[in-house]
Amino acid sequence: MAHIKVAVLVGSIRTASLNRRLANALMRLGPSSFVFEEIGIDDMPFYNADLEASRPETVRAFTDQIRSSQALLIVTPEYNRSIPAVLKNAIDWGSKPTTENVWRDLPAAITGASPGAIGTAVGQQHLRQILAVLGATVMGGEAYIGFKRPDLIDEDGHIDDESTRDFLKAYMDKFASLAQRLLRK
């Protein structure tokens, strides 16, 4: 089976981010056909069309990394019923100019973690809408992880709850199936 390069974007830039821990767990649970590359999103200026004529190097590096990927995994918190500004900024840079939109036709899976009761449900719905408009193929289904216990997932991505681990493993297997189907076309 051929390897699939998966870009991983974490929508939180906090040092002790629950979503970074979740991303680490997902990368551990991913199939052997996936090769993960976490791509930083915190070093780009805010999107400004005035910068298009001479794109900053950080933006060029980011879009090159996404363009060289075959699939996309986004793990994000929810801020005020939407996605963090740093993630939206990265998406905006990747979508411009429209003729070079790096998100088009990219198989994508989205998830997120929160200590709240509804996880990141509303933020994920907004992100799903944004990515669909940009032409990504977003995997159906939902994965909202509620961190009811701070030790649910440790810093290295080890999950101590078997049902959570099984759920996330099934989620990653479904993502692999989608990516493989779309890449065969």
Side-chain angles (χ1 to χ4, degrees):
M1 178 182 304
H3 285 90
I4 297 171
K5 184 176 177 187
V6 180
V8 180
L9 301 182
V10 178
S12 173
I13 57 175
R14 276 185 65 228
T15 304
S17 167
L18 298 177
N19 285 279
R20 181 156 319 285
R21 287 164 50 185
L22 175 57
N24 289 339
L26 292 168
M27 288 186 277
R28 290 177 65 84
L29 294 170
S32 61
S33 61
F34 276 3
V35 176
F36 295 98
E37 178 183 18
E38 186 175 341
I39 301 172
I41 60 174
D42 63 339
D43 59 352
M44 293 180 282
F46 280 111
Y47 177 77
N48 179 341
D50 292 344
L51 299 176
E52 282 294 350
S54 181
R55 279 187 159 212
E57 178 55 35
T58 55
V59 172
R60 281 196 303 277
F62 172 77
T63 55
D64 287 348
Q65 287 175 295
I66 298 295
R67 193 175 291 108
S68 72
S69 299
Q70 298 167 288
L72 173 67
L73 173 63
I74 299 180
V75 184
T76 186
E78 176 179 301
Y79 291 173
N80 300 313
R81 301 296 192 243
S82 188
I83 60 174
V86 69
L87 178 58
K88 179 64 165 74
N89 186 55
I91 292 169
D92 289 345
W93 274 116
S95 70
K96 305 292 184 191
T98 56
T99 57
E100 297 178 35
N101 173 2
V102 299
W103 312 114
R104 187 176 297 114
D105 299 325
L106 200 58
I110 57 177
T111 187
S114 166
I118 62 169
T120 58
V122 181
Q124 283 188 49
Q125 185 59 37
H126 192 202
L127 179 56
R128 183 178 303 278
Q129 179 183 20
I130 293 165
L131 290 175
V133 165
L134 295 175
T137 301
V138 183
M139 183 173 79
E142 300 170 328
Y144 316 122
I145 306 304
F147 261 75
K148 303 295 186 218
R149 299 185 345 256
D151 63 341
L152 177 67
I153 302 173
D154 71 17
E155 300 296 327
D156 295 322
H158 294 97
I159 305 169
D160 80 344
D161 179 77
E162 185 176 351
S163 66
T164 300
R165 188 173 45 254
D166 291 348
F167 173 78
L168 291 174
K169 174 73 171 116
Y171 188 77
M172 291 305 288
D173 289 346
K174 182 178 176 185
F175 181 35
S177 178
L178 171 71
Q180 289 164 354
R181 258 193 337 272
L182 292 177
L183 292 171
R184 278 197 294 261
K185 290 183 178 181

